[in-house]
Amino acid sequence: TGTPTPTPTPTSTLPQLTDTFTDANAAANYAATNFGYTAGTIPGSAVFNQTGVVLSPAESAGFWYIESYTLPVVSFATSTVAVQGWGAGIGRAIILVGPQNNTDVRIGYKLTTPLAYANQSVASVAVSIFRYDASEQKITSTLTPVVFNMSFTGTVYRYSDGDPNGVLLTDDGGSVTSCGTDCLTISSSKTSTFVAYAPTGSSPSPSPSPSTSTSHNDSLYALFALLVIPGLLFIAVVFMVIRHRLRKSQNAENPRIELEFSPAPQTLPPVATPEVVLYPGDLY
């Protein structure tokens, strides 16, 4: 008798957890229908019972349920966000990823760029994280932090819900470490929105600064100085030479006449001689 063929071990396949849309409105409708999320608001509670990621040209959204699967990587443009841990006591979570300059379409208000990076800077994507307990109620702080990796290199700020002004994450109890080239590991017991900023040209970013032409202008100024300044110096030298020759020529044609002045002799006025009249008898 031959050896029986072993029964193949059944394999389980993960469901399709990521849905990609080319139309932003279709993606928003899908997120509202399947996860109860309405764009432009911060959900006060979470009622979904599944895990999924919705990708669109306008934003990306991830929805995590504790009794479902691990949340896949959430990507937007060239950036990726991978959650490593949600923190203790979290039953559900929502993560929104999109451009830093239009967060109002996702959470209802715009973010202010920190003063230190107001000019000539680039920003990472804005990562908004909202966590909910087992009773589906929103919580903003836990004893154990949320930890996620983000593809960027820079200084991270955290924005509280409803506050357009951020605070330096490391001054707010959080931490930032490098997880490789253009990769940051961000840890914070407080959630809401996170953005990393860097000087122009120091890190690739999907949100370019409007002042990216600075280096180009500097190059033009350097080229202008290199070409124009020597030309001006040459013209000045030629002008001085011509002026010198003209003066020399004029001196040759019109020699200088030097006059010597002798003082005129002084003439004394005549001395008047008194007239003497003699009468007869004066000699006697």
Side-chain angles (χ1 to χ4, degrees):
T1 60
T3 301
T5 303
T7 303
T9 302
T11 59
S12 60
T13 57
L14 291 174
Q16 176 64 36
L17 299 177
T18 300
D19 294 282
T20 303
F21 295 83
T22 57
D23 181 75
N25 292 328
N29 292 334
Y30 181 84
T33 301
N34 292 274
F35 300 98
Y37 165 67
T38 302
T41 63
I42 298 177
S45 61
V47 297
F48 53 87
N49 295 318
Q50 59 180 323
T51 294
V53 173
V54 181
L55 306 180
S56 81
E59 66 175 331
S60 297
F63 305 89
W64 176 77
Y65 177 49
I66 190 172
E67 297 181 14
S68 184
Y69 299 94
T70 301
L71 183 73
V73 172
V74 181
S75 61
F76 179 80
T78 59
S79 296
T80 57
V81 178
V83 177
Q84 309 298 313
W86 295 104
I90 305 301
R92 294 171 176 81
I94 299 174
I95 178 172
L96 308 175
V97 181
Q100 178 267 359
N101 58 4
N102 69 344
T103 53
D104 54 319
V105 302
R106 294 185 297 282
I107 58 178
Y109 60 95
K110 287 182 175 291
L111 304 180
T112 301
T113 301
L115 184 61
Y117 297 93
N119 298 309
Q120 299 184 7
S121 67
V122 290
S124 70
V125 289
V127 180
S128 299
I129 297 177
F130 310 111
R131 299 181 294 176
Y132 306 85
D133 59 19
S135 301
E136 304 174 354
Q137 298 304 303
K138 183 174 176 291
I139 56 179
T140 58
S141 181
T142 58
L143 295 177
T144 54
V146 60
V147 181
F148 62 95
N149 293 345
M150 178 173 64
S151 57
F152 197 80
T153 297
T155 303
V156 180
Y157 284 75
R158 188 186 72 84
Y159 295 79
S160 299
D161 291 346
D163 191 347
N165 299 307
V167 294
L168 192 65
L169 181 61
T170 52
D171 291 343
D172 195 44
S175 66
V176 181
T177 57
S178 174
C179 51
T181 303
D182 293 325
C183 180
L184 297 175
T185 297
I186 299 172
S187 175
S188 176
S189 60
K190 302 175 183 178
T191 50
S192 50
T193 301
F194 303 86
V195 181
Y197 297 91
T200 302
S202 63
S203 177
S205 170
S207 302
S209 168
S211 59
T212 53
S213 62
T214 302
S215 60
H216 177 68
N217 291 338
D218 291 342
S219 299
L220 290 178
Y221 294 150
L223 181 60
F224 176 82
L226 182 64
L227 295 178
V228 174
I229 292 179
L232 293 176
L233 291 175
F234 176 77
I235 293 174
V237 171
V238 171
F239 176 77
M240 293 176 65
V241 171
I242 294 175
R243 183 179 179 184
H244 176 73
R245 290 181 177 178
L246 286 175
R247 286 184 175 180
K248 188 175 181 180
S249 176
Q250 291 175 353
N251 291 338
E253 294 177 358
N254 301 302
R256 181 181 300 175
I257 300 175
E258 297 183 356
L259 299 178
E260 294 184 357
F261 294 91
S262 298
Q266 295 182 355
T267 303
L268 296 177
V271 179
T273 302
E275 182 179 355
V276 179
V277 180
L278 297 177
Y279 294 92
D282 288 341
L283 296 178
Y284 300 97

